[in-house]
Amino acid sequence: DGGITQSPKYLFRKEGQNVTLSCEQNLNHDAMYWYRQDPGQGLRLIYYSQIVNDFQKGDIAEGYSVSREKKESFPLTVTSAQKNPTAFYLCASSGGQGWETQYFGPGTRLLVL
Amino acid sequence: KNEVEQSPQNLTAQEGEFITINCSYSVGISALHWLQQHPGGGIVSLFMLSSGKKKHGRLIATINIQEKHSSLHITASHPRDSAVYICAVWVNKLVFGAGTILRVKS
């Protein structure tokens, strides 16, 4: 079955720690996206990548970093510089044309200890 | 002002009722998406529209480009329709509304 997987489902971060959220897709999609969801707010774009080895900052990139070394994988690192990381993080992919349907992973909930 | 506004924020309906969720946007767009988010958090795309109307089962989505407005209708609502419904517009990136929380009671 084709789809997007994210792991872990829940992640706990200690103060000053970097943590990495995994996102993998087997849909052969070129474009991948990371969003953050906070209660009562719309999803906000953190980073996106339209092709391997290239990525761009979204609206709220500060305190986050990404890599795109393989087409299938787009991990997100939440660094210690992100002072309010508690949120629900969603990864998505699409066929390449940005306006096309995006397919979402199940999400990772990040909590701060 | 948010670029994408949804109404209502919360909606409770009885099983079988006809439901309408509205989405207004303030910018020119290439496409509009309706998404469904279940309590577990996963998001599923329901429709992508650039004009007119689309129908899938009991769901109908319409868009009026001139008025910058879209509606999502659910006919013969069922408790399994309970979810958050999200409108998003493509303006060189997806811009999301805050969502409408729908609860359908049996």
Side-chain angles (χ1 to χ4, degrees), chain B residues 18-69:
Chain B
F18 180 83
I19 289 165
T20 295
I21 298 170
N22 296 298
C23 175
S24 296
Y25 53 92
S26 57
V27 295
I29 64 170
S30 302
L32 181 143
H33 297 259
W34 281 103
L35 309 161
Q36 181 190 54
Q37 184 171 30
H38 278 280
I43 292 177
V44 174
S45 179
L46 298 174
F47 295 104
M48 184 184 70
L49 296 160
S50 54
S51 65
K53 176 180 176 178
K54 286 190 177 180
K55 184 175 189 290
H56 182 69
R58 295 180 294 106
L59 300 178
I60 303 166
T62 64
I63 188 168
N64 185 318
I65 296 292
Q66 286 72 30
E67 294 188 3
K68 294 186 169 62
H69 181 268

Side-chain angles (χ1 to χ4, degrees), chain A residues 40-103:
Chain A
Q41 297 187 37
L43 278 70
R44 292 180 290 168
L45 182 64
I46 305 173
Y47 268 99
Y48 65 101
S49 168
Q50 293 177 306
I51 198 167
V52 175
N53 291 322
D54 188 48
F55 49 82
Q56 279 77 42
K57 293 181 179 180
D59 298 320
I60 55 166
E62 186 174 349
Y64 300 98
S65 66
V66 293
S67 63
R68 186 87 186 276
E69 296 176 3
K70 297 187 298 182
K71 188 175 186 177
E72 302 79 21
S73 179
F74 191 40
L76 174 74
T77 296
V78 184
T79 74
S80 57
Q82 172 48 245
K83 298 306 179 189
N84 184 23
T86 297
F88 189 57
Y89 292 87
L90 287 150
C91 178
S93 71
S94 70
Q97 298 296 323
W99 48 264
E100 292 179 5
T101 296
Q102 293 188 12
Y103 296 83

